[in-house]
Amino acid sequence: SPVKRVVIVEDNASVAKYFRYVLEHAGYTVAITESGDEAVSLARETETVAVLVDVSLRGTQYAGRYIDGLELSRILKDDEHTT
């Protein structure tokens, strides 16, 4: 069966580890990042089925500027390659 990946954008290692555990036991592969740039890049890949973003994430870099998790969520929502 095709790979189903979930991207986790989280700066708290304990929280990221918990979500990885739950999702891997549900049959997903997991990618974890704190970077907005990397999150968008991973989200655009065809095997990604969902992106979990910590909306309180602070200071992630995207396109040469710093944004928070809520703004990253909006960017992912508005990107034609990630919706």
Side-chain angles (χ1 to χ4, degrees), residues 7-60:
V7 177
I8 300 170
V9 188
E10 175 61 67
D11 57 353
N12 181 315
S14 297
V15 172
K17 194 175 186 180
Y18 170 76
F19 279 118
R20 176 190 294 271
Y21 174 82
V22 170
L23 290 164
E24 285 179 346
H25 280 82
Y28 294 93
T29 61
V30 176
I32 298 173
T33 185
E34 294 179 27
S35 162
D37 286 323
E38 186 175 14
V40 172
S41 177
L42 288 167
R44 287 177 173 165
E45 295 178 9
T46 57
E47 61 271 9
T48 298
V49 296
V51 181
L52 300 178
V53 178
D54 173 3
V55 294
S56 65
L57 186 72
R58 295 194 177 125
T60 188

